Amino acid sequence: MTISSWAVPVMVVGQFALMAVLPVVIVLVGTHRFVRDRAARWAATLLAAAYAVPLVVWLVRPDGAQSLSKDMHPVFAGLTVATSAAVIVALHRARARRLPTR
């Protein structure tokens, strides 16, 4: 899940926003299935929502651009990157709490 969390902003910034759907789904399903931390679950849900809004707008609009990367507003790209960073931090925090201290 952590690798997928890192892949989302790389793909969105690298103009491969449509291909980022797979890492977003992996993060959402994996976090809700395997992580008990509520903050990580909320962050993953926010990431999926931040990514889904421009995707749905692009799919529904008849005069949209040829690719999601060209059609996505920079605010949504920034929001997707920011929520992905929140997922990374939340997963790191959840993992740090789970590990035993010596």
Side-chain angles (χ1 to χ4, degrees):
M1 287 176 293
T2 306
I3 294 171
S4 294
S5 300
W6 281 100
V8 172
V10 169
M11 288 181 169
V12 169
V13 172
Q15 299 293 312
F16 292 101
L18 186 59
M19 292 177 57
V21 72
L22 185 62
V24 169
V25 169
I26 290 171
V27 168
L28 182 65
V29 172
T31 303
H32 281 279
R33 190 162 184 178
F34 299 114
V35 180
R36 292 184 180 176
D37 188 31
R38 285 187 195 179
R41 289 180 178 184
W42 273 101
T45 304
L46 287 175
L47 172 64
Y51 180 78
V53 169
L55 179 65
V56 169
V57 168
W58 178 67
L59 290 173
V60 171
R61 197 165 62 180
D63 62 339
Q66 292 178 347
S67 70
L68 177 61
S69 298
K70 293 179 182 180
D71 198 53
M72 186 183 284
H73 194 276
V75 172
F76 281 112
L79 189 61
T80 303
V81 170
T83 54
S84 181
V87 170
I88 293 167
V89 169
L91 287 174
H92 179 70
R93 236 188 62 215
R95 187 176 298 129
R97 269 196 265 161
R98 191 180 65 199
L99 294 176
T101 57
R102 292 182 186 204

